[in-house]
Amino acid sequence: MYNPAQSPHIPQPPHSAGRGIQGLRPRIDPNQVPSAVDAVESDRQHWEKQPYLTLPGTRVPLATTDFVAVDQGNSSPKYVRVTTWALPHTSRLASECNVPLAAVFQPFAEGDEPIPLLDPGPSGPARCEKCRAYVNPWCVWTAGGSKWKCNLCTHETTVTPEYFSNLDGNGMRLDQMDRPELCKGTVDFVVGDEYFASNPPQRLTPPYFSPTPLPTGVRAPQSLNFVIALDVSVEAVQSNFLYAACISLLKILYGGPDHIDEEVMLDSCFPSGSRIAIITYDSTLHFYDLTTDKVPSPMMVVSDVDEVFVPLYNDAFVDPWEHRKSLEALLQSLPQRFVNTSDSRNALGSVIRAGQGALSNRGGHIIIFLSTMPSVGIAALHGQPNENELYDTDKEKVLYKPRDPLWKQIGEECAEEGIGVSMFLGNSKFVDVASVGAVPSTTGGDIFFHPRFDLLRDSPVLESQMQRLIRRTTGYDCIARTSIGLRITNHHGNFYLQSSTDMAFGILDADKSFCVSLSHTATSMTSSGLSPREYAYLQCAVLYTSLEGQRRVRLVNLALQVVELAGNVFQFADVDTCMNYLTRTAVSSLSSQKMSLIRDDLTENCSAMLLGYRNKCAAASRPTQLIIPETLKALPTYTLGLLKSKPLKARNIASDVRNYFTHRLLSMSVRSTIQHLYPRFLALHDLDDTISLTLTDTETPGVGGIPRSKAANSAVLLPSTMRASHEWMVANGIYLIDNEETTILWIGSSVSPQLLIDLFETADIFSLDPHMVKLPPLATRFSKQVRNIIATRNAERGGRAAKFFIARQNLDAAEIEFSDMLVEDQNNGNMGYLDYLTMVHKQISAVLTEGGSLSSAGVRSPW
């Protein structure tokens, strides 16, 4: 890492728009202020050398660290994280500390150990008779093993004869270590028909026309079925979006050349036993009978898009291997079949209803490719709001909610029927993500955003997203419930909240998480609060259907220590989870609160936590002294990163962009959230000769970005990151920045010609192609290092590639986005890090010296 005291830094580009602090600011040495990078690198060096044991009472690795967790009855932090791992014993102490109480669950995360799959037999898993919590390692066995006391509600439940076991001298079951549900924090139970999902009650207005009565009663689980809906309007055909979608689907179904290395062949990743249906749509819907071997497959057109029906309910789905000939021929022919189309409209709402009808009584996944705003059929949209007039006004919030409430209703109905909806957007104009994106956001699905779709630039990324969508661990027809010794006050994420306790997901996968906020209740406390002599408990149960069609329950259990001292609350605070919680609460408020107020609230939340530490743990210090607890060193930096994120930045950003990133942030894992808010920034020009090389010095850490194994992936040692600011850059450097969505390679104007030769096989910076989408595979050490770093980053995302851009200093447009990703600079209509830290310090000092609250301290952010 370059030190500005040793090397002259480059000036911040003039196109970066930011604001300075109001009034005077003393000169501050950037080396002396708290650094998020220092905290991340220190934690990484500590935990990459030793495993993390999950029993309560120990410091937990940061979410950004690649650690190995050993499940000792507490779930790994990869499945659940909390804002503090030491809960305050009273609500008063919690309010004085100002650390939010929340938990983030990621039940299907890819952990370090295989999840035990248990079959408890016809009687099902043991559950508490009172609160219906599941048996877990923290239950207490009484009456010689004939009863067990629930750790969540303390009710004693009688043990069934087939589950009985004698106890040892310590009151532990003799078979405890032989039963994973009693010694592991995360387990899967196979469950019977009493856990089958139920079809929703009959509605007054049926969502689609059906020649037979709509199903009632329970839904028997079956293998996951997919409905692929392809936009064949003129925009999709001319932009080659349809072509890219068909090619990606063929590789999913039957394998093909990798999008990164065409010499590598990818295997089929379509789940065995699953079936697929193909629908194309413009202003009409087109269904294909793939059960015959006729080429081309017979096509049935449904022109009534206001009252949709499915003409092929029984024959709509086929096994892709049994009917490879017809399916392969159809996907190969679709781009040419519609090449002369002149239909520019599409009926998206109608095609979702058709997919809903096809998956009726089945559940499944609808994957939609969309190029234009739906203008005909169900929930059609017309016109575009004048965003310039609404920006920074009270009416701006209408841009962040569906214009037609029917979109939200469609999503809720799909979630109730166990159907998830994901969308690939390849639009060149306004598509109204706030409206159409409400369906994926409510069903637990994904949105993949490719504005101004370019085949060469975007098709490799689209293909990697499709691969990840199918390959990752996924459950469908899900109901998630969190049982806890505390009260759940709110839920945050992409789901349908069926009741105060139950969240319905059409699909829930390894990349998705959800958050619950917690508070103390009278039922969870003794007369003086939670008992510090006991643990507090969380249990998350996800009832889901596996890809193979088996009904299961995924359990995530967590025991937390309870403390009486504020110092312990801060000592075990988790800044990553705090930021994930604050991010969700902020972006979910866009549709109901003015954006400037949301920004002010975020800064006050940051100041409040630091003020709580100051009042409870460092009251004797001078008010003019800035004191930040070790665990929250990165809090101001991450808060500033959130203020500069696409949904909240203080500049006129297209509502489609804001709504897309809002959708992403609402379901991101804790790790991805932090790496998005504060992008990983690397100096490539001074890499050590041995870093980022595989054992053979020639292989990348994965095939198609998908890791071969943990051992192969760990063979690449990544370099340390650096602070995201021009202050630390030099003009003869090459830098790589990655925020989980975009990867940009910045090349300084004075870079060494030898570095260019090693990386691009040319010494002339002006001859570089600014539109290249990947680095050339050269045999030089430097080229191997950089390509290994990018491939490892993709592997950490499960093979999903980020969009890649080249930014030459003062030459390429990508430098604007690069500069906006440097969080510590003065950009995005916001302050630089030093100014922001000064403002936070002034807020705290004003309260300490003058009293009152932060909101009345007289120091406000300049929105």
Side-chain angles (χ1 to χ4, degrees):
M1 182 187 301
Y2 271 78
N3 190 312
Q6 299 172 343
S7 304
H9 70 272
I10 64 174
Q12 187 172 331
H15 52 64
S16 297
R19 297 186 183 187
I21 190 171
Q22 298 175 356
L24 299 177
R25 172 174 70 79
R27 179 172 176 79
I28 301 175
D29 183 357
N31 292 288
Q32 301 302 315
V33 298
S35 167
V37 170
D38 290 346
V40 168
E41 291 300 325
S42 174
D43 191 80
R44 170 188 166 191
Q45 292 173 12
H46 177 80
W47 287 110
E48 287 186 349
K49 299 175 183 177
Q50 58 182 309
Y52 167 68
L53 308 181
T54 63
L55 285 178
T58 59
R59 187 168 67 90
V60 178
L62 295 177
T64 51
T65 298
D66 291 318
F67 61 91
V68 175
V70 179
D71 190 337
Q72 297 179 306
N74 247 11
S75 289
S76 164
K78 296 180 180 179
Y79 299 108
V80 55
R81 298 187 73 94
V82 287
T83 50
T84 176
W85 299 85
L87 286 179
H89 76 121
T90 63
S91 57
R92 178 178 178 179
L93 179 59
S95 63
E96 290 174 346
C97 292
N98 285 314
V99 175
L101 299 184
V104 178
F105 291 93
Q106 192 176 355
F108 295 116
E110 294 167 346
D112 303 302
E113 308 175 38
I115 303 299
L117 178 60
L118 314 173
D119 189 348
S123 59
R127 300 184 67 178
C128 174
E129 294 173 342
K130 181 180 179 182
C131 70
R132 303 304 292 160
Y134 292 81
V135 69
N136 62 81
W138 302 100
C139 297
V140 177
W141 302 91
T142 62
S146 61
K147 291 185 178 181
W148 60 278
K149 180 186 290 186
C150 176
N151 56 307
L152 296 176
C153 71
T154 71
H155 177 78
E156 292 191 3
T157 299
T158 302
V159 177
T160 58
E162 60 271 19
Y163 199 67
F164 175 80
S165 173
N166 288 308
L167 308 182
D168 61 16
N170 296 319
M172 309 298 291
R173 287 174 59 115
L174 296 177
D175 65 348
Q176 177 170 343
M177 300 311 296
D178 297 327
R179 289 188 176 273
E181 73 271 23
L182 303 182
C183 61
K184 296 290 185 182
T186 307
V187 296
D188 266 337
F189 283 115
V190 177
V191 292
D193 54 7
E194 67 271 23
Y195 290 86
F196 287 0
S198 298
N199 286 301
Q202 296 286 347
R203 300 179 178 87
L204 293 177
T205 304
Y208 47 84
F209 175 77
S210 176
T212 60
L214 294 179
T216 57
V218 299
R219 283 194 300 274
Q222 53 185 286
S223 297
L224 180 62
N225 293 313
F226 293 85
V227 173
I228 309 297
L230 299 165
D231 185 350
V232 294
S233 64
V234 62
E235 174 72 24
V237 175
Q238 291 181 354
S239 66
N240 287 312
F241 188 55
L242 174 61
Y243 172 80
C246 292
I247 294 299
S248 297
L249 285 170
L250 285 169
K251 291 182 182 180
I252 292 291
L253 295 172
Y254 307 114
D258 176 45
H259 62 279
I260 294 177
D261 186 352
E262 294 183 355
E263 295 182 359
V264 175
M265 297 298 292
L266 295 175
D267 295 330
S268 166
C269 63
F270 194 75
S272 176
S274 293
R275 298 186 301 162
I276 188 172
I278 303 291
I279 304 175
T280 57
Y281 68 102
D282 41 32
S283 60
T284 58
L285 310 184
H286 321 130
F287 297 83
Y288 299 88
D289 185 358
L290 300 172
T291 59
T292 68
D293 291 329
K294 295 180 180 179
V295 178
S297 301
M299 181 176 77
M300 281 143 282
V301 178
V302 175
S303 57
D304 186 355
V305 292
D306 293 316
E307 190 173 352
V308 177
F309 74 98
V310 181
L312 293 170
Y313 179 79
N314 293 323
D315 297 328
F317 296 93
V318 296
D319 185 293
W321 290 103
E322 293 179 2
H323 299 276
R324 177 170 182 172
K325 180 180 178 181
S326 56
L327 190 53
E328 208 166 28
L330 174 64
L331 291 175
Q332 289 172 347
S333 67
L334 281 178
Q336 284 300 316
R337 180 179 295 193
F338 292 95
V339 69
N340 294 319
T341 184
S342 59
D343 196 339
S344 60
R345 302 176 299 167
N346 76 65
L348 175 64
S350 302
V351 82
I352 296 177
R353 287 298 199 196
Q356 187 180 351
L359 293 170
S360 174
N361 205 34
R362 293 183 172 120
H365 195 176
I366 305 174
I367 301 175
I368 297 171
F369 294 84
L370 175 70
S371 289
T372 57
M373 185 174 68
S375 55
V376 294
I378 297 171
L381 301 168
H382 303 283
Q384 177 180 355
N386 191 330
E387 298 185 15
N388 292 328
E389 290 183 357
L390 297 175
Y391 174 68
D392 203 25
T393 68
D394 285 334
K395 295 182 179 180
E396 183 182 7
K397 50 182 173 282
V398 303
L399 298 173
Y400 312 123
K401 61 178 69 173
R403 284 193 284 166
D404 187 339
L406 184 55
W407 289 103
K408 184 76 171 177
Q409 180 184 332
I410 291 173
E412 293 173 354
E413 292 175 3
C414 286
E416 286 182 333
E417 296 187 31
I419 299 169
V421 180
S422 294
M423 289 185 184
F424 288 81
L425 306 180
N427 53 301
S428 62
K429 296 180 292 186
F430 176 73
V431 76
D432 201 351
V433 176
S435 295
V436 301
V439 182
S441 295
T442 308
T443 61
D446 276 296
I447 299 176
F448 300 101
F449 194 48
H450 299 278
R452 296 182 295 277
F453 182 83
D454 179 86
L455 183 64
L456 294 179
R457 181 193 66 204
D458 295 327
S459 61
V461 179
L462 184 147
E463 184 179 316
S464 72
Q465 292 168 341
M466 278 291 295
Q467 292 278 337
R468 179 61 179 165
L469 187 71
I470 302 299
R471 289 181 184 272
R472 64 193 177 191
T473 303
T474 301
Y476 78 99
D477 208 351
C478 307
I479 297 292
R481 175 179 297 172
T482 305
S483 303
I484 188 167
L486 299 166
R487 182 168 63 95
I488 296 176
T489 57
N490 222 329
H491 301 75
H492 304 281
N494 290 330
F495 51 78
Y496 170 44
L497 192 62
Q498 280 189 321
S499 67
S500 61
T501 58
D502 292 357
M503 294 166 279
F505 299 80
I507 52 173
L508 183 60
D509 56 68
D511 296 332
K512 301 294 190 308
S513 66
F514 54 87
C515 175
V516 295
S517 53
L518 315 171
S519 67
H520 294 75
T521 64
T523 57
S524 70
M525 300 187 294
T526 65
S527 58
S528 58
L530 291 169
S531 173
R533 297 182 179 86
E534 299 177 356
Y535 292 134
Y537 302 98
L538 290 78
Q539 184 181 85
C540 174
V542 180
L543 178 62
Y544 71 101
T545 303
S546 68
L547 293 179
E548 300 81 16
Q550 190 176 55
R551 199 67 172 160
R552 298 176 182 174
V553 173
R554 168 69 57 92
L555 287 186
V556 176
N557 295 286
L558 186 66
L560 296 168
Q561 59 180 339
V562 178
V563 297
E564 296 177 288
L565 299 178
N568 292 335
V569 176
F570 287 102
Q571 180 185 357
F572 291 94
D574 190 322
V575 67
D576 296 344
T577 312
C578 287
M579 282 311 306
N580 183 278
Y581 168 76
L582 292 176
T583 298
R584 292 172 190 259
T585 55
V587 299
S588 60
S589 301
L590 284 173
S591 60
S592 59
Q593 194 174 359
K594 189 176 180 181
M595 195 176 298
S596 59
L597 298 178
I598 297 174
R599 299 190 196 105
D600 278 337
D601 288 345
L602 282 172
T603 298
E604 286 183 14
N605 286 331
C606 173
S607 300
M609 276 189 264
L610 302 184
L611 178 62
Y613 179 78
R614 187 64 184 269
N615 285 333
K616 302 298 293 184
C617 304
S621 302
R622 298 191 309 272
T624 56
Q625 187 176 0
L626 176 63
I627 299 178
I628 299 179
E630 189 70 24
T631 53
L632 298 179
K633 270 188 174 182
L635 180 64
T637 316
Y638 291 158
T639 304
L640 181 60
L642 177 54
L643 292 170
K644 294 183 177 185
S645 64
K646 290 288 197 299
L648 297 174
K649 68 194 304 184
R651 280 164 65 179
N652 195 353
I653 303 298
S655 62
D656 275 354
V657 175
R658 289 195 195 267
N659 286 310
Y660 163 69
F661 281 97
T662 295
H663 168 89
R664 290 275 290 131
L665 288 169
L666 276 173
S667 62
M668 267 188 182
S669 66
V670 176
R671 178 189 178 112
S672 295
T673 301
I674 296 301
Q675 291 174 344
H676 180 74
L677 298 182
Y678 194 93
R680 291 175 287 180
F681 191 37
L682 296 176
L684 301 179
H685 51 281
D686 59 352
L687 290 177
D688 184 86
D689 287 350
T690 59
I691 204 145
S692 302
L693 293 174
T694 60
L695 295 176
T696 62
D697 289 348
T698 56
E699 296 180 352
T700 58
V703 176
I706 300 168
R708 293 189 181 94
S709 66
K710 275 202 181 234
N713 193 25
S714 62
V716 176
L717 179 63
L718 293 177
S720 298
T721 55
M722 60 181 286
R723 294 174 67 168
S725 171
H726 281 95
E727 184 77 20
W728 306 86
M729 295 172 62
V730 290
N732 61 350
I734 300 178
Y735 298 90
L736 185 74
I737 194 166
D738 176 9
N739 70 351
E740 299 293 290
E741 289 283 328
T742 304
T743 298
I744 300 179
L745 186 71
W746 185 91
I747 304 168
S749 58
S750 303
V751 68
S752 165
Q754 187 59 50
L755 288 177
L756 294 178
I757 293 172
D758 289 346
L759 195 57
F760 300 104
E761 213 170 19
T762 179
D764 182 11
I765 189 174
F766 296 98
S767 67
L768 296 180
D769 179 10
H771 304 294
M772 69 172 63
V773 296
K774 62 180 179 179
L775 295 175
L778 305 181
T780 64
R781 175 184 56 81
F782 187 45
S783 175
K784 293 174 187 176
Q785 287 178 306
V786 178
R787 286 185 290 115
N788 283 345
I789 290 171
I790 295 174
T792 302
R793 293 278 177 83
N794 291 342
E796 290 173 352
R797 290 186 281 263
R800 185 177 60 82
K803 293 185 178 181
F804 181 81
F805 296 92
I806 297 289
R808 296 168 295 176
Q809 186 180 8
N810 299 327
L811 289 177
D812 297 320
E815 191 179 17
I816 297 176
E817 181 66 19
F818 172 83
S819 297
D820 284 349
M821 291 165 69
L822 298 179
V823 172
E824 296 194 21
D825 283 344
Q826 192 179 103
N827 52 28
N828 292 290
N830 297 307
M831 300 178 183
Y833 175 49
L834 296 183
D835 286 343
Y836 184 74
L837 194 62
T838 300
M839 187 190 70
V840 169
H841 178 42
K842 285 184 176 181
Q843 283 188 340
I844 296 172
S845 297
V847 174
L848 292 174
T849 56
E850 302 171 12
S853 63
L854 287 168
S855 58
S856 60
V859 181
R860 300 285 284 174
S861 45
W863 319 126

